[in-house]
Amino acid sequence: VSRTLDNNRRNIWFAEFWEDNFHCKLSRGCELPPSTALCRVFTFLLSIDHERIGKDSSYEQEGKVQFVIDAVYSMAHALHNMHKQLCPGKVGLCSKMDPINGTMLLKFIRNVNFTGIAGNPVLFNENGDAPGRYDIYQYQMKNNTTEYKVIGQWTDQLHLNMQAMQWPGVSGQVPVSICSQPCRPGERKKIVKGIPCCWHCERCDGYQYQADRYTCKMCPFNLRPNENHTGCRPIPIVKLEWSSPWAVIPVFIAILGILATLFVVVTFIRYNDTPIVKASGRELSYVLLTGIFLCYATTFLMISTPDVGICSLRRIFLGLGMSISYAALLTKTNRIYRIFEQGKKSVSAPRFISPASQLVITFSLISVQLIGVCIWFGVDPSQAIIDYEDQRTANPEFSRGVLKCDISDLSLICLLGYSMLLMVTCTVYAIKTRGVPETFNEAKPIGFTMYTTCIVWLAFIPIFFGTSQSTEKMYIQTTTLTISVSLSASVSLGMLYMPKVYIVLFHPEQNVPKRKRSLKAVVTAATMSNKFTQKGSFRPNGEAKSELCESLETQCEYCNSSCIFCDEM
């Protein structure tokens, strides 16, 4: 601002700047445009003052010039202080400053402290940065015009003039000025990209919990998050309770079945020597009734709280009761079939039809089931487990762990598979002996029993495996299995023994032996009846018209009503 045309002749562009700054012309030789004056510098001999930059013109200093000037002065002050310390009292550079150590000079630069050209102190912090100095403006409206008004400064700390600030609204309260609200419990911070002070709050959902402010983690498999997802808690363990409707119905059926079975057993023991009981084959009848009893008792094992003992008993008795029942029925139907097939060829009795032989055959068939279970125990010992998959719902609040035995669906099929095989084989023999007249045997009641049992288990399979994906799988499958086993036992008990018990108790006059026939006469009559006659009327199994005959060749009794050889005379 002190430069003039007289003291700044070295700058060849300064004259042009002068004309532009004062809107005048320096040359007299050319015609001046209208509204353009002659620069006053040429009137110097007339004692007219020169124009002054910034005083006679609207010159505005460039804002960065002060920093350039302060930077030059910082270097000068640093060199001066360095010279005073290293070269005291010496004019010019001494040997310690020739050459100058830049690292040492930087320390002197950072230690300068003087007032700059703008009146502000010039100094540096430990990092070599100049202290921040800021003017704080607020965009305000005044008299329907808007302007930026200085309301404070920042020099090492904040200085605000609260009275000079304006806020919208009637109350004029200071609005909330934050980038993001604090996250609630169970929410993690997701930092906004490029804005580290701002974030989005994301809920830890599902089985996740809030591990820290920025992370959600999955709870362990046996745990679920608490209500606000700030931690994990154990998943409740459930099992089939005795008071559950899924258990009450099977238990009720099982109790009725056990009472009915015991009633039949007691009746048979009391009337053990009567023709009806003898004709039914006492030994196999008691074996069959034992199997029926175990089928009903299995219900209580299936509903009891699983542990090692209960799970072991389930493996043993779930298939054993059915194996005993169908092994006895298979032995009976096979005996009937062989007797009549042999009778068509000769009058001699078939082999292995005595009560002892029948028991050996029956227990041999049962032993296959027991051997299979023993092998299973050796390969995979029984244990109770907690399954967290069966009732692992999308909502953790409804998730449950199921206490159950480690018997998979495939293992269950293998466990019941042998019983199913016996049942199918028995059904085949019942079909083969369906043509034998009912006055000579009980094949038809056994046949009806097996047909009904097959229907029960055909209905069981789709229900059992169709609910494998249901959250109520444990309840539905346990109830279906126990009811199916109980119904199978009930069919055998009702069709094979209830008619006999009815005659024994309410029609004792029919429980007497009839005339005897030879084995050849019995078989011949049965064969001819199948070929040439139709069955005239239905006679209940074991009715008073059951007939006994004695074969002179074998010296034993042949019971027509059940087509078996009796061991008693």
Side-chain angles (χ1 to χ4, degrees), residues 131-308:
R133 292 186 295 271
Y134 302 94
D135 288 331
I136 303 175
Y137 295 84
Q138 187 186 35
Y139 192 65
Q140 296 182 354
M141 177 175 289
K142 185 178 181 180
N143 298 329
N144 295 329
T145 59
T146 57
E147 62 177 356
Y148 282 100
K149 184 176 180 181
V150 177
I151 59 171
Q153 294 82 28
W154 171 273
T155 52
D156 293 333
Q157 60 181 354
L158 179 64
H159 302 278
L160 279 179
N161 184 1
M162 301 299 296
Q163 288 72 24
M165 301 171 68
Q166 295 182 2
W167 303 109
V170 179
S171 61
Q173 294 182 351
V174 179
V176 178
S177 179
I178 57 175
C179 180
S180 301
Q181 294 287 349
C183 293
R184 294 176 294 181
E187 295 180 344
R188 75 176 185 94
K189 291 182 179 180
K190 183 179 180 181
I191 303 299
V192 178
K193 187 176 181 180
I195 311 178
C197 295
C198 299
W199 60 82
H200 298 302
C201 295
E202 286 189 351
R203 178 74 175 173
C204 296
D205 55 359
Y207 288 83
Q208 295 180 333
Y209 73 98
Q210 183 183 3
D212 52 47
R213 291 185 298 175
Y214 304 99
T215 309
C216 291
K217 291 184 178 180
M218 292 292 293
C219 287
F221 198 68
N222 60 335
L223 302 177
R224 63 177 180 175
N226 54 22
E227 293 182 358
N228 57 8
H229 288 255
T230 56
C232 297
R233 54 179 175 170
I235 295 178
I237 308 302
V238 297
K239 60 182 181 63
L240 186 57
E241 302 290 345
W242 292 98
S243 58
S244 170
W246 297 100
V248 170
I249 296 177
V251 168
F252 179 74
I253 296 175
I255 292 175
L256 292 181
I258 290 174
L259 294 176
T261 304
L262 294 177
F263 178 74
V264 172
V265 171
V266 171
T267 303
F268 268 50
I269 293 175
R270 182 176 180 183
Y271 298 93
N272 191 53
D273 295 326
T274 61
I276 288 292
V277 177
K278 287 183 178 181
S280 63
R282 289 174 295 186
E283 294 78 7
L284 287 183
S285 291
Y286 291 132
V287 173
L288 178 55
L289 288 171
T290 301
I292 292 174
F293 177 84
L294 291 178
C295 288
Y296 288 124
T298 301
T299 298
F300 299 95
L301 292 176
M302 298 299 296
I303 298 177
S304 298
T305 302
D307 55 30
V308 175

Side-chain angles (χ1 to χ4, degrees), residues 449-557:
T449 298
M450 300 315 301
Y451 305 151
T452 307
T453 303
C454 289
I455 293 174
V456 170
W457 286 101
L458 285 176
F460 158 80
I461 292 175
I463 296 175
F464 186 87
F465 293 100
T467 58
S468 59
Q469 302 300 323
S470 172
T471 55
E472 303 291 333
K473 171 185 175 181
M474 175 187 67
Y475 307 109
I476 298 175
Q477 291 188 345
T478 302
T479 302
T480 304
L481 179 60
T482 53
I483 290 180
S484 298
V485 173
S486 296
L487 287 180
S488 301
S490 300
V491 168
S492 300
L493 185 67
M495 291 190 174
L496 298 179
Y497 292 101
M498 287 307 173
K500 295 180 176 63
V501 173
Y502 176 77
I503 292 175
V504 169
L505 296 179
F506 299 104
H507 295 282
E509 72 278 1
Q510 299 180 10
N511 191 14
V512 294
K514 295 294 183 178
R515 64 185 177 86
K516 299 178 179 180
R517 295 179 183 177
S518 67
L519 172 62
K520 183 177 181 179
V522 172
V523 176
T524 302
T527 304
M528 298 303 293
S529 177
N530 286 339
K531 292 182 177 179
F532 304 110
T533 63
Q534 297 291 334
K535 183 168 57 175
S537 61
F538 176 77
R539 296 179 180 180
N541 181 48
E543 61 181 332
K545 294 180 182 179
S546 61
E547 300 168 343
L548 300 175
C549 71
E550 182 178 8
S551 173
L552 297 177
E553 294 82 3
T554 59
Q555 293 295 317
C556 67
E557 245 178 313

